[in-house]
Amino acid sequence: MKSATLLALLAPAAMGHYFFPKTIVNGVRSNDWQYVRETANNPQSGPVEDVSSNLMRCYEKSGRPAAGVQTVAAGSRFGLTSSNSMSHPGPSLWYMARVPDGQDVNSWVPSGNVWFKVDQYGSTPAADPPFESNMSEVYTTIPSNLRPGNYLIRYEHVGLHIAGAPQFYIACAQINVTGGGSASPSSLVSFPGAYSRSDPGLTFVIYGNHNTYPYPGPSVSR
Ligand SMILES: *[C@@H]1O[C@H](CO)[C@@H](O)[C@H](O)[C@H]1NC(C)=O
Ligand SMILES: *[C@@H]1O[C@H](CO)[C@@H](O)[C@H](O)[C@H]1NC(C)=O
């Protein structure tokens, strides 16, 4: 009786949460965690809620298996699958960090100022709630002029459904960008560090709010 009640309480919450196990490159879905560093919320699906936690980097599961490095052409579309419908309204943000030459991609720790923002979207000010939601896949485009080499690409979905208590759903994939140009974005931020709990983009009340959404973090550099 007790456990049935608990299950009934927990199931809807878990169903509303999600993680991002597969990449999508040239329309092809990878295996689970083939290129994405396995996240600590597999399988329970919950978010990071502390912006000062090291989990804000890649939400990695400790002792995760090694992930591979996927070759992706600069300028191409890059996607991730979601384990559940992304029911929480909130923005999508994409960051990249260059893995220093000669470093092992899988064991490289993205600490310090290494991240640049490549994309942000999802705000739909006229709608209620004022964000896209219920996606099963999310996409960005690898900057076409990016210097080739190994990168982590970090996706972040911020659930804003509980005012003042933002939820972060995060994944990092390991990619080798080929082609490209010579761009090396220089305005770099760290995770944790880039966000503060009081950022207007994290305290934004979504209900009945049709103001322009102030995305958290630095401006897009690509
Ligand atoms: C997302 O799905 C839920 C549940 O089906 C629905 O209530 C909601 O209106 C949907 N949101 C959007 C923006 O389509
Ligand atoms: C990325 O892939 C290309 C093409 O396979 C290869 O020549 C290059 O050495 C790889 N780069 C890195 C940093 O591994």
Side-chain angles (χ1 to χ4, degrees):
M1 186 65 186
K2 192 173 182 190
S3 63
T5 309
L6 250 183
L7 270 180
L9 285 171
L10 290 175
M15 284 172 66
H17 295 340
Y18 28 88
F19 51 85
F20 311 103
K22 301 181 203 292
T23 62
I24 311 167
V25 172
N26 297 325
V28 177
R29 282 155 189 74
S30 71
N31 295 326
D32 287 0
W33 315 117
Q34 187 176 358
Y35 302 111
V36 177
R37 293 183 175 188
E38 184 175 354
T39 47
N41 64 342
N42 175 30
Q44 100 288 1
S45 308
V48 179
E49 294 176 276
D50 176 2
V51 295
S52 65
S53 165
N54 284 343
L55 292 174
M56 284 293 288
R57 290 175 189 152
C58 291
Y59 204 177
E60 281 174 55
K61 175 175 274 186
S62 68
R64 68 173 172 83
V69 181
Q70 186 166 32
T71 299
V72 182
S76 64
R77 199 161 178 247
F78 178 87
L80 293 170
T81 62
S82 179
S83 58
N84 279 314
S85 174
M86 296 171 64
S87 58
H88 301 317
S92 286
L93 303 99
W94 293 84
Y95 292 82
M96 293 178 75
R98 185 179 172 87
V99 179
D101 290 338
Q103 294 263 340
D104 175 60
V105 179
N106 182 65
S107 58
W108 183 63
V109 177
S111 60
N113 291 331
V114 294
W115 297 102
F116 54 97
K117 187 189 273 177
V118 293
D119 209 355
Q120 57 188 7
Y121 54 82
S123 167
T124 54
D128 258 319
F131 288 94
E132 63 178 14
S133 52
N134 297 342
M135 300 82 80
S136 57
E137 301 169 348
V138 288
Y139 287 92
T140 191
T141 304
I142 306 297
S144 56
N145 57 352
L146 195 62
R147 183 178 157 210
N150 291 325
Y151 289 84
L152 294 184
I153 182 164
R154 175 185 177 280
Y155 174 70
E156 170 191 296
H157 190 243
V158 189
L160 294 175
H161 49 297
I162 304 171
Q167 299 185 347
F168 299 88
Y169 298 87
I170 296 167
C172 293
Q174 303 180 160
I175 62 174
N176 170 2
V177 175
T178 58
S182 58
S184 256
S186 58
S187 66
L188 304 176
V189 298
S190 66
F191 284 106
Y195 296 175
S196 147
R197 187 69 181 263
S198 57
D199 289 347
L202 302 181
T203 57
F204 194 84
V205 175
I206 64 172
Y207 304 100
N209 186 347
H210 301 291
N211 294 329
T212 301
Y213 177 66
Y215 287 90
S219 50
V220 170
S221 59
R222 57 179 297 148

